[in-house]
Amino acid sequence: MTIVQYGWNETWMNKWNELHQSLENKTFVPGRIVGDFGSKYRVMTETGETWGELAGRLRHTLTDSGDYPAIGDWVSLAMMDGGEHAVIHGVLPRQSVISRKVAGNTNEEQIVASNVDTLFLVSALNDDFNVRRMERYLIMAWNSGANPVILLTKADLCDDAESKIAEMERAAPGVAVYAVSALLGDGRDKLLPYIGSGQTVALTGSSGCGKSTLVNWLSGATLQLTQDVREGDSRGRHTTTHRELFILPDGGIIVDTPGMRELQLWEDEGGLDLAFGDISSLAADCRFSDCRHEREEGCAVLAAVSNGALEEKRLLNYRKTQKELLYQSSKEVKQKRKTAAAATKAAPSRSRNSGWRRELEEY
């Protein structure tokens, strides 16, 4: 295996040269994180796969959880002991970042995967099927910078797959929706444009929706463990426990991630308006520019609900998610102010890239 097979190309070479142009007589090499196991990483380098861990000085420059290396990142490595292991001294700027808020009350960002071209949003065509939940996943996808594609798995368990596809398409205007069955081998040809040579795709969805089965099906090998669905509620059992990256026979790169029992959105960078594009378009015709689409006179969104052009449940989910994102944004602002105040007292501030560059220069 070579790093070219893992997506290394001219674009990444240019980013590498920009980050390292001021360094002289250094022996750093590029690598991509292909496995995230917490304190250690599996990294693919020019000479093969090895274990990697953060340099101490780099670790002290990382103030936010979202700054830490993640699956899919390209990193600067110092090879040790003849390549037996490596030390990570920097992370190249990301072209896309799929993230969410960590579960619970902690206000921290969790990177699901980075440098992904296409994000497969997976939902099974059994009791796992949930349009409202998919709307939330779409916000995360649009915010990430990756191209979202919806995969409805376990089509062999569904007698009305076409109606479910139509329902999902109404909730995701402009997003490709495919029903697939790994058991019957149906639908793989539709996914070929997304898994070609050098392209990185990631899978995300609720626990037990069939992501690991998809990885095995697309790869033609048993790369991930799977378990049968539970008889009681038709849901699959949670299998994947860490993030890992695999090469597919068609040349693509695929990232499997642990299932999400809940999706708490981290921030909004336009994803809400893209995921609810129909509501945003209708809102342009509201009488008042600050219309909240609740009881206002002349609201085009409420008029669409009244005449059946817009599903009321979709509007309710839009309102709920909008309020959640506003609340999350207010918490982020407070946290950033608190962190900035503490940093000002402790030491002069410095940018993320300057911190990495200083770490590289001091090595």
Side-chain angles (χ1 to χ4, degrees), residues 131-152:
V131 172
R132 303 285 82 86
R133 183 173 64 222
M134 185 57 71
E135 289 170 344
R136 294 175 62 82
Y137 277 100
L138 280 167
I139 295 172
M140 179 182 71
W142 286 124
N143 282 334
S144 74
N147 177 48
V149 172
I150 296 174
L151 299 188
L152 303 179

mmCIF file of all heavy atoms in Angstrom, residues 131-152:
data_model
loop_
_atom_site.group_PDB
_atom_site.id
_atom_site.type_symbol
_atom_site.label_atom_id
_atom_site.label_comp_id
_atom_site.label_asym_id
_atom_site.label_seq_id
_atom_site.Cartn_x
_atom_site.Cartn_y
_atom_site.Cartn_z
ATOM 1 N N VAL A 131 -37.409 9.700 9.299
ATOM 2 C CA VAL A 131 -37.157 10.877 8.467
ATOM 3 C C VAL A 131 -36.684 12.058 9.297
ATOM 4 O O VAL A 131 -35.758 12.780 8.901
ATOM 5 C CB VAL A 131 -38.427 11.256 7.679
ATOM 6 C CG1 VAL A 131 -38.229 12.593 6.952
ATOM 7 C CG2 VAL A 131 -38.773 10.165 6.678
ATOM 8 N N ARG A 132 -37.283 12.274 10.445
ATOM 9 C CA ARG A 132 -36.917 13.417 11.287
ATOM 10 C C ARG A 132 -35.459 13.311 11.743
ATOM 11 O O ARG A 132 -34.745 14.308 11.786
ATOM 12 C CB ARG A 132 -37.844 13.494 12.513
ATOM 13 C CG ARG A 132 -39.329 13.587 12.199
ATOM 14 C CD ARG A 132 -39.717 14.986 11.697
ATOM 15 N NE ARG A 132 -39.460 15.233 10.300
ATOM 16 C CZ ARG A 132 -40.294 14.918 9.318
ATOM 17 N NH1 ARG A 132 -41.415 14.282 9.567
ATOM 18 N NH2 ARG A 132 -40.005 15.231 8.075
ATOM 19 N N ARG A 133 -35.016 12.119 12.090
ATOM 20 C CA ARG A 133 -33.620 11.937 12.493
ATOM 21 C C ARG A 133 -32.685 12.208 11.321
ATOM 22 O O ARG A 133 -31.617 12.805 11.473
ATOM 23 C CB ARG A 133 -33.402 10.526 13.034
ATOM 24 C CG ARG A 133 -31.970 10.294 13.542
ATOM 25 C CD ARG A 133 -31.844 8.944 14.228
ATOM 26 N NE ARG A 133 -32.088 7.860 13.296
ATOM 27 C CZ ARG A 133 -32.808 6.779 13.569
ATOM 28 N NH1 ARG A 133 -33.391 6.646 14.752
ATOM 29 N NH2 ARG A 133 -32.972 5.836 12.673
ATOM 30 N N MET A 134 -33.089 11.781 10.123
ATOM 31 C CA MET A 134 -32.252 12.008 8.953
ATOM 32 C C MET A 134 -32.087 13.502 8.674
ATOM 33 O O MET A 134 -31.031 13.938 8.195
ATOM 34 C CB MET A 134 -32.852 11.303 7.733
ATOM 35 C CG MET A 134 -31.970 11.380 6.482
ATOM 36 S SD MET A 134 -30.308 10.694 6.732
ATOM 37 C CE MET A 134 -30.680 8.940 6.860
ATOM 38 N N GLU A 135 -33.096 14.293 8.971
ATOM 39 C CA GLU A 135 -32.974 15.741 8.782
ATOM 40 C C GLU A 135 -31.835 16.291 9.631
ATOM 41 O O GLU A 135 -31.109 17.209 9.205
ATOM 42 C CB GLU A 135 -34.307 16.423 9.121
ATOM 43 C CG GLU A 135 -35.394 16.154 8.094
ATOM 44 C CD GLU A 135 -36.780 16.614 8.543
ATOM 45 O OE1 GLU A 135 -36.963 16.864 9.759
ATOM 46 O OE2 GLU A 135 -37.675 16.721 7.691
ATOM 47 N N ARG A 136 -31.660 15.764 10.829
ATOM 48 C CA ARG A 136 -30.571 16.201 11.701
ATOM 49 C C ARG A 136 -29.215 15.773 11.113
ATOM 50 O O ARG A 136 -28.248 16.544 11.133
ATOM 51 C CB ARG A 136 -30.750 15.634 13.105
ATOM 52 C CG ARG A 136 -31.961 16.171 13.835
ATOM 53 C CD ARG A 136 -32.165 15.492 15.175
ATOM 54 N NE ARG A 136 -31.050 15.719 16.082
ATOM 55 C CZ ARG A 136 -30.900 16.800 16.819
ATOM 56 N NH1 ARG A 136 -31.787 17.784 16.755
ATOM 57 N NH2 ARG A 136 -29.869 16.928 17.631
ATOM 58 N N TYR A 137 -29.150 14.550 10.620
ATOM 59 C CA TYR A 137 -27.906 14.086 10.012
ATOM 60 C C TYR A 137 -27.529 14.937 8.800
ATOM 61 O O TYR A 137 -26.346 15.183 8.538
ATOM 62 C CB TYR A 137 -28.035 12.620 9.601
ATOM 63 C CG TYR A 137 -27.782 11.642 10.723
ATOM 64 C CD1 TYR A 137 -28.837 11.047 11.410
ATOM 65 C CD2 TYR A 137 -26.491 11.312 11.116
ATOM 66 C CE1 TYR A 137 -28.612 10.152 12.450
ATOM 67 C CE2 TYR A 137 -26.253 10.425 12.146
ATOM 68 C CZ TYR A 137 -27.320 9.849 12.814
ATOM 69 O OH TYR A 137 -27.091 8.964 13.833
ATOM 70 N N LEU A 138 -28.528 15.382 8.071
ATOM 71 C CA LEU A 138 -28.258 16.221 6.897
ATOM 72 C C LEU A 138 -27.641 17.561 7.302
ATOM 73 O O LEU A 138 -26.773 18.083 6.596
ATOM 74 C CB LEU A 138 -29.549 16.454 6.104
ATOM 75 C CG LEU A 138 -29.968 15.302 5.186
ATOM 76 C CD1 LEU A 138 -31.397 15.500 4.711
ATOM 77 C CD2 LEU A 138 -29.018 15.205 3.998
ATOM 78 N N ILE A 139 -28.084 18.121 8.415
ATOM 79 C CA ILE A 139 -27.478 19.374 8.894
ATOM 80 C C ILE A 139 -25.998 19.151 9.177
ATOM 81 O O ILE A 139 -25.142 19.949 8.781
ATOM 82 C CB ILE A 139 -28.210 19.875 10.156
ATOM 83 C CG1 ILE A 139 -29.650 20.251 9.818
ATOM 84 C CG2 ILE A 139 -27.482 21.081 10.758
ATOM 85 C CD1 ILE A 139 -30.497 20.578 11.034
ATOM 86 N N MET A 140 -25.679 18.065 9.885
ATOM 87 C CA MET A 140 -24.281 17.739 10.165
ATOM 88 C C MET A 140 -23.492 17.568 8.876
ATOM 89 O O MET A 140 -22.363 18.055 8.746
ATOM 90 C CB MET A 140 -24.205 16.456 11.000
ATOM 91 C CG MET A 140 -22.781 16.016 11.330
ATOM 92 S SD MET A 140 -22.691 14.471 12.281
ATOM 93 C CE MET A 140 -23.205 13.296 11.012
ATOM 94 N N ALA A 141 -24.093 16.898 7.886
ATOM 95 C CA ALA A 141 -23.405 16.659 6.618
ATOM 96 C C ALA A 141 -23.128 17.955 5.869
ATOM 97 O O ALA A 141 -22.009 18.193 5.402
ATOM 98 C CB ALA A 141 -24.237 15.715 5.759
ATOM 99 N N TRP A 142 -24.141 18.812 5.745
ATOM 100 C CA TRP A 142 -23.948 20.070 5.020
ATOM 101 C C TRP A 142 -22.939 20.973 5.724
ATOM 102 O O TRP A 142 -22.172 21.679 5.084
ATOM 103 C CB TRP A 142 -25.288 20.797 4.868
ATOM 104 C CG TRP A 142 -26.221 20.206 3.852
ATOM 105 C CD1 TRP A 142 -27.502 19.783 4.065
ATOM 106 C CD2 TRP A 142 -25.960 19.978 2.458
ATOM 107 N NE1 TRP A 142 -28.045 19.305 2.899
ATOM 108 C CE2 TRP A 142 -27.132 19.418 1.895
ATOM 109 C CE3 TRP A 142 -24.858 20.197 1.638
ATOM 110 C CZ2 TRP A 142 -27.228 19.069 0.554
ATOM 111 C CZ3 TRP A 142 -24.945 19.842 0.287
ATOM 112 C CH2 TRP A 142 -26.115 19.290 -0.242
ATOM 113 N N ASN A 143 -22.912 20.941 7.043
ATOM 114 C CA ASN A 143 -21.940 21.747 7.785
ATOM 115 C C ASN A 143 -20.509 21.244 7.592
ATOM 116 O O ASN A 143 -19.559 21.999 7.757
ATOM 117 C CB ASN A 143 -22.271 21.740 9.286
ATOM 118 C CG ASN A 143 -23.421 22.661 9.640
ATOM 119 O OD1 ASN A 143 -23.684 23.636 8.947
ATOM 120 N ND2 ASN A 143 -24.118 22.357 10.715
ATOM 121 N N SER A 144 -20.362 19.972 7.268
ATOM 122 C CA SER A 144 -19.030 19.362 7.212
ATOM 123 C C SER A 144 -18.221 19.751 5.991
ATOM 124 O O SER A 144 -16.995 19.714 6.011
ATOM 125 C CB SER A 144 -19.175 17.832 7.242
ATOM 126 O OG SER A 144 -19.651 17.342 5.992
ATOM 127 N N GLY A 145 -18.899 20.082 4.901
ATOM 128 C CA GLY A 145 -18.188 20.333 3.652
ATOM 129 C C GLY A 145 -18.141 19.117 2.755
ATOM 130 O O GLY A 145 -17.649 19.188 1.622
ATOM 131 N N ALA A 146 -18.656 17.973 3.236
ATOM 132 C CA ALA A 146 -18.727 16.757 2.428
ATOM 133 C C ALA A 146 -20.069 16.700 1.702
ATOM 134 O O ALA A 146 -21.036 17.346 2.094
ATOM 135 C CB ALA A 146 -18.548 15.526 3.310
ATOM 136 N N ASN A 147 -20.125 15.900 0.642
ATOM 137 C CA ASN A 147 -21.347 15.741 -0.134
ATOM 138 C C ASN A 147 -22.209 14.649 0.495
ATOM 139 O O ASN A 147 -21.784 13.499 0.595
ATOM 140 C CB ASN A 147 -20.997 15.355 -1.571
ATOM 141 C CG ASN A 147 -22.233 15.101 -2.410
ATOM 142 O OD1 ASN A 147 -23.162 15.897 -2.409
ATOM 143 N ND2 ASN A 147 -22.243 13.977 -3.125
ATOM 144 N N PRO A 148 -23.444 14.955 0.937
ATOM 145 C CA PRO A 148 -24.281 13.926 1.573
ATOM 146 C C PRO A 148 -24.992 13.038 0.553
ATOM 147 O O PRO A 148 -25.468 13.510 -0.477
ATOM 148 C CB PRO A 148 -25.284 14.752 2.376
ATOM 149 C CG PRO A 148 -25.415 16.030 1.608
ATOM 150 C CD PRO A 148 -24.077 16.290 0.990
ATOM 151 N N VAL A 149 -25.052 11.745 0.867
ATOM 152 C CA VAL A 149 -25.818 10.775 0.095
ATOM 153 C C VAL A 149 -26.533 9.883 1.105
ATOM 154 O O VAL A 149 -25.920 9.401 2.054
ATOM 155 C CB VAL A 149 -24.902 9.916 -0.812
ATOM 156 C CG1 VAL A 149 -25.698 8.781 -1.444
ATOM 157 C CG2 VAL A 149 -24.255 10.776 -1.888
ATOM 158 N N ILE A 150 -27.829 9.666 0.918
ATOM 159 C CA ILE A 150 -28.608 8.856 1.852
ATOM 160 C C ILE A 150 -28.690 7.418 1.340
ATOM 161 O O ILE A 150 -29.085 7.179 0.193
ATOM 162 C CB ILE A 150 -30.022 9.430 2.044
ATOM 163 C CG1 ILE A 150 -29.938 10.824 2.690
ATOM 164 C CG2 ILE A 150 -30.890 8.504 2.896
ATOM 165 C CD1 ILE A 150 -31.278 11.537 2.781
ATOM 166 N N LEU A 151 -28.305 6.471 2.198
ATOM 167 C CA LEU A 151 -28.403 5.048 1.875
ATOM 168 C C LEU A 151 -29.448 4.403 2.779
ATOM 169 O O LEU A 151 -29.327 4.449 4.005
ATOM 170 C CB LEU A 151 -27.055 4.348 2.073
ATOM 171 C CG LEU A 151 -25.869 4.829 1.233
ATOM 172 C CD1 LEU A 151 -24.680 3.896 1.429
ATOM 173 C CD2 LEU A 151 -26.247 4.909 -0.240
ATOM 174 N N LEU A 152 -30.453 3.812 2.172
ATOM 175 C CA LEU A 152 -31.483 3.082 2.906
ATOM 176 C C LEU A 152 -31.155 1.596 2.788
ATOM 177 O O LEU A 152 -31.338 0.987 1.732
ATOM 178 C CB LEU A 152 -32.865 3.395 2.335
ATOM 179 C CG LEU A 152 -33.248 4.886 2.332
ATOM 180 C CD1 LEU A 152 -34.626 5.083 1.727
ATOM 181 C CD2 LEU A 152 -33.201 5.458 3.751
#
